[in-house]
Amino acid sequence: DAGVTQSPTHLIKTRGQQVTLRCSPKSGHDTVSWYQQALGQGPQFIFQYYEEEERQRGNFPDRFSGHQFPNYSSELNVNALLLGDSALYLCASSLVGATHNEQFFGPGTRLTVL
Amino acid sequence: AQRVTQPEKLLSVFKGAPVELKCNYSYSGSPELFWYVQYSRQRLQLLLRHISRESIKGFTADLNKGETSFHLKKPFAQEEDSAMYYCALSSRAAGNKLTFGGGTRVLVKP
């Protein structure tokens, strides 16, 4: 099991463009959460997907949207990119009902907005 | 609202010295507290959780509900402990999302 995988590793976009980031959860996991980590800060929760629906959302604008597919993989979409969207985007997977609420993280996608 | 504070951005200690990373939180319900670690060029990974009350790699952390703290301690730091450490809070009532502190970089000098 490769664990949580994310693609691409790095991405460079310009202001106003749109971007899609992808995540495959750890085998056996059914829940995917997305986090934004700006330089020098801790990760901030964006939203969480379970059963192909957005279950929770953090304090992020509607420009941030997502999707979960039947195989539990997920996408994060960001429209109308701003310079401030430059960050490391982390995906984490977990299993609903697990004894411990452990989330497993992917390596992240580094997004640079110019 | 959930909030986690790590007051130290950087902790520099010598090998063999004790190290303590501070974490304070605010949450009105029953929180679950975690410490995550990120070694150089590796992904974020769970170090320990308060529910397990375990010692991992010589680290321990005790949840003090009176002081709303979850400090991480190790009596004898090793060079391989150099990493970024994040304290995080979650709760089933809040849907299991993780709220992270800003992180503390630990540098263990030889």
Side-chain angles (χ1 to χ4, degrees):
Chain A
D1 180 17
V4 179
T5 60
Q6 292 186 243
S7 63
T9 305
H10 297 87
L11 206 51
I12 299 175
K13 293 285 188 178
T14 57
R15 280 178 297 175
Q17 284 189 311
Q18 178 264 345
V19 68
T20 297
L21 311 181
R22 297 176 176 81
C23 170
S24 291
K26 181 179 170 64
S27 178
H29 285 184
D30 56 10
T31 303
V32 172
S33 302
W34 286 93
Y35 295 82
Q36 181 195 66
Q37 186 173 20
L39 198 61
Q41 299 182 23
Q44 286 195 40
F45 176 77
I46 303 175
F47 42 52
Q48 183 181 82
Y49 276 84
Y50 171 67
E51 291 189 334
E52 302 180 47
E53 292 190 359
E54 183 182 292
R55 200 165 76 152
Q56 281 196 99
R57 189 179 184 90
N59 189 25
F60 279 81
D62 292 344
R63 297 187 298 107
F64 289 76
S65 63
H67 189 78
Q68 186 178 34
F69 299 93
N71 67 353
Y72 306 117
S73 66
S74 176
E75 288 182 349
L76 163 65
N77 301 292
V78 187
N79 294 322
L81 284 167
L82 304 174
L83 295 179
D85 295 331
S86 294
L88 181 67
Y89 288 85
L90 297 171
C91 169
S93 73
S94 55
L95 178 62
V96 166
T99 304
H100 298 300
N101 176 29
E102 180 171 358
Q103 296 190 24
F104 290 78
F105 283 82
T109 294
R110 171 78 58 191
L111 173 65
T112 302
V113 182
L114 302 177
Chain B
Q2 302 178 177
R3 186 181 178 116
V4 177
T5 303
Q6 294 179 248
E8 304 121 339
K9 287 284 190 185
L10 172 67
L11 276 180
S12 182
V13 300
F14 285 102
K15 176 182 173 181
V19 62
E20 180 179 22
L21 289 73
K22 291 185 168 50
C23 171
N24 290 92
Y25 68 90
S26 63
Y27 182 63
S28 56
S30 297
E32 295 181 45
L33 274 297
F34 306 84
W35 277 99
Y36 278 81
V37 61
Q38 187 167 30
Y39 301 103
S40 179
R41 297 187 182 85
Q42 294 187 29
R43 63 185 66 190
L44 199 60
Q45 58 186 282
L46 179 67
L47 179 61
L48 54 78
R49 56 175 77 88
H50 90 271
I51 284 179
S52 301
R53 303 183 67 83
E54 58 198 345
S55 174
I56 302 292
K57 299 184 178 183
F59 285 97
T60 59
D62 290 320
L63 178 61
N64 186 323
K65 292 187 177 181
E67 295 184 358
T68 59
S69 68
F70 187 56
H71 303 327
L72 183 68
K73 303 175 186 178
K74 184 169 183 177
F76 308 103
Q78 302 300 312
E79 290 183 68
E80 56 264 31
D81 296 327
S82 296
M84 278 297 295
Y85 292 80
Y86 294 96
C87 181
L89 178 155
S90 176
S91 76
R92 295 196 185 275
N96 291 336
K97 69 175 185 180
L98 287 168
T99 298
F100 286 89
T104 298
R105 178 169 297 282
V106 171
L107 178 61
V108 181
K109 296 177 287 188

